[in-house]
């Protein structure tokens, strides 16, 4: 099977035009320094490409077999399709699959609909898909690169081939996206290619905390700063409400938050596992897990004390405390990984 070079060029040009618009896509910024995990990218891209390739080969085989009485096409009530139109059909299929694969590849934490694309990206994709479909429909009957090519709607006896190609591509798009989600699930469940720890180790070229002496200190600094930021937000919210309501329970919560902030500094220094890290933080290093237990206990006491806050302020305070608990849980998880 061969496809004219002109068709391949059209696929490339239209696809590149859509890829350029990815620069203006919606992005959720990472809380950690960005770091490439090329093995994970290679694994996921292989899954996506394999599904797209398999679907193209299956369509090509079914189209070439359409003249046989027991073919898949005949079972679905589809007529025989001649070879010049098969070339155009595969062009349209590859073109559609390329664009749909882009929307599947851009989401890493769920299905393609979990993160809506920017209007510019969606618009560029719609224009490119529209052009590809229109070209496949009205391509003239002629010879290109020694191959006879014919548009999918030029045969007046049956003009629904573009619709069937679209339905076929969308079905395989859902299969492809489901395979991507399963792949990420397995990678994260078994920490394949250090997908869970690689990003926490904020040292280039290191995937585990034992590969570089600076890895633990770096992780402790990043996670500690994130937790401290959550503490500052919660402290500001509680202090503002305590001053306005003059509630003794909220004042104690404000004092407890100060203790949590100090405990986070101790835990951060302990994660560095060196005396120099502790000295830099102006604290005496203590076991990180003991500090994390103290933080969790203090947060639990604070959440019970929030009930004393006015109803109109309780939601805001609870939200800040929930974010603080999540940051503390993550810090405890990183500390556990760092200690091996």
């Amino acid at each position: 099977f061969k496809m004219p070079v002109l068709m391949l060029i059209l696929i490339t040009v239209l696809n590149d035009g859509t890829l350029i618009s990815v620069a203006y896509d919606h992005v959720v910024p990472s809380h950690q320094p960005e770091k490439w995990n090329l093995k994970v990218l290679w694994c996921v891209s292989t899954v996506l490409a394999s599904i797209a390739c398999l679907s193209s080969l299956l369509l090509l085989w079914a189209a070439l077999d359409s003249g046989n009485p027991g073919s898949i096409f005949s079972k679905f009530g589809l007529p025989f399709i001649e070879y010049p139109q098969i070339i155009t059909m595969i062009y349209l299929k590859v073109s559609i699959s390329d664009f749909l694969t882009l929307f599947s590849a851009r989401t890493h934490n769920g299905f393609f609909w979990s993160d809506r694309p920017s209007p510019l990206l969606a618009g560029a994709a719609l224009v490119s898909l529209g052009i590809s479909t229109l070209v496949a429909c009205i391509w003239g009957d002629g010879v290109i690169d020694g191959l006879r090519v014919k548009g999918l709607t030029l045969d007046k006896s049956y003009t629904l081939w573009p619709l069937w190609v679209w339905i076929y591509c969308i079905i395989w798009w859902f299969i492809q996206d489901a395979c991507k989600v399963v792949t990420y699930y397995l990678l994260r469940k078994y920490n394949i290619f250090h997908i869970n720890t690689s990003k926490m180790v904020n040292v280039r070229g290191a995937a585990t905390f034992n590969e570089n002496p600076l890895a633990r200190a770096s992780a402790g600094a990043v996670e500690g700063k994130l937790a401290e930021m959550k503490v500052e937000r919660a402290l500001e919210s509680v202090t503002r409400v305590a001053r306005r309501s003059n509630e003794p329970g909220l004042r104690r919560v404000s004092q407890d938050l100060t203790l949590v902030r100090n405990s986070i500094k101790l835990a951060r220094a302990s994660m560095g596992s060196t005396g120099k890290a502790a000295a830099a933080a102006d604290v005496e290093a203590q076991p990180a897990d003991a500090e994390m237990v103290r933080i969790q206990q203090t947060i639990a006491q604070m959440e019970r004390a929030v009930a004393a806050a006015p109803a109109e302020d309780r939601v805001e305070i609870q939200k800040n405390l929930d974010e603080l608990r999540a940051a503390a849980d993550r810090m405890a998880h990183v500390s556990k990984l760092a200690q091996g």
Side-chain angles (χ1 to χ4, degrees):
F1 177 79
K2 295 181 180 180
M3 184 181 295
V5 176
L6 180 58
M7 287 185 170
L8 295 176
I9 293 176
L10 282 174
I11 293 174
T12 303
V13 171
L14 293 175
N15 194 32
D16 287 350
T18 304
L19 286 175
I20 292 174
S21 65
V22 172
Y24 302 92
D25 192 17
H26 290 149
V27 176
V28 178
S30 174
H31 289 174
Q32 288 75 38
E34 290 292 351
K35 182 179 179 182
W36 291 107
N37 191 329
L38 296 181
K39 292 181 179 179
V40 172
L41 293 178
W42 174 84
C43 179
V44 176
S45 61
T46 299
V47 171
L48 294 174
S50 299
I51 299 298
C53 180
L54 175 63
S55 62
S56 296
L57 292 176
L58 287 176
L59 179 62
L60 175 61
W61 168 77
L64 292 174
D65 191 54
S66 62
N68 295 327
S71 66
I72 295 179
F73 275 28
S74 62
K75 292 180 180 178
F76 281 91
L78 300 177
F80 167 76
I81 180 172
E82 56 185 5
Y83 189 78
Q85 286 187 312
I86 293 178
I87 296 177
T88 310
M89 173 184 285
I90 299 301
Y91 156 75
L92 180 59
K93 192 277 168 191
V94 172
S95 184
I96 295 174
S97 291
D98 279 358
F99 296 118
L100 297 184
T101 300
L102 169 63
F103 287 96
S104 182
R106 60 182 290 275
T107 54
H108 303 163
N109 298 316
F111 292 95
F112 64 86
W113 62 78
S114 61
D115 185 16
R116 66 182 180 87
S118 66
L120 185 60
L121 174 59
L126 288 175
V127 170
S128 298
L129 286 168
I131 294 175
S132 298
T133 305
L134 181 62
V135 168
C137 290
I138 65 174
W139 195 295
D141 188 356
V143 178
I144 303 176
D145 296 334
L147 299 170
R148 184 173 169 233
V149 181
K150 185 178 181 181
L152 296 178
T153 59
L154 295 186
D155 189 350
K156 300 304 180 182
S157 61
Y158 196 83
T159 59
L160 296 180
W161 289 121
L163 175 62
W164 284 109
V165 173
W166 264 96
I167 294 174
Y168 181 83
C169 290
I170 290 175
I171 292 174
W172 275 99
W173 183 29
F174 279 90
I175 297 174
Q176 181 188 51
D177 203 57
C179 291
K180 176 207 69 178
V181 172
V182 172
T183 300
Y184 271 117
Y185 170 77
L186 294 175
L187 290 173
R188 289 176 177 134
K189 181 178 181 180
Y190 299 104
N191 196 27
I192 302 175
F193 303 132
H194 303 290
I195 186 174
N196 298 325
T197 56
S198 178
K199 207 168 185 179
M200 297 177 184
V201 181
N202 304 310
V203 177
R204 183 176 297 176
T208 63
F209 289 100
N210 297 324
E211 294 182 32
N212 193 300
L214 297 177
R216 293 185 182 180
S218 176
V222 172
E223 301 300 330
K225 284 294 185 182
L226 287 172
E228 286 183 37
M229 181 181 67
K230 301 297 183 182
V231 171
E232 293 294 341
R233 289 182 180 177
L235 182 59
E236 178 183 354
S237 176
V238 171
T239 302
R240 183 176 64 254
V241 176
R243 289 175 179 174
R244 186 170 64 248
S245 63
N246 199 25
E247 178 66 39
L250 291 178
R251 291 182 180 179
R252 286 194 298 270
V253 172
S254 179
Q255 296 172 356
D256 290 340
L257 281 170
T258 303
L259 295 176
V260 170
R261 181 170 53 186
N262 294 334
S263 295
I264 287 175
K265 290 181 179 180
L266 287 168
R268 185 179 66 184
S270 299
M271 287 174 64
S273 69
T274 63
K276 293 182 179 180
D282 195 25
V283 293
E284 181 181 357
Q286 301 291 335
D289 52 353
E291 294 299 335
M292 298 312 304
V293 170
R294 184 183 306 171
I295 292 172
Q296 295 290 357
Q297 292 175 347
T298 305
I299 293 176
Q301 295 173 359
M302 291 161 48
E303 289 183 335
R304 289 193 293 268
V306 167
E312 62 273 13
D313 299 317
R314 198 175 302 157
V315 175
E316 178 185 356
I317 296 176
Q318 187 63 52
K319 177 183 177 182
N320 289 328
L321 290 181
D322 289 342
E323 292 179 353
L324 175 57
R325 176 182 286 277
D329 288 341
R330 177 177 172 81
M331 191 174 179
H333 177 63
V334 175
S335 176
K336 183 178 180 181
L337 292 174
Q339 293 174 11

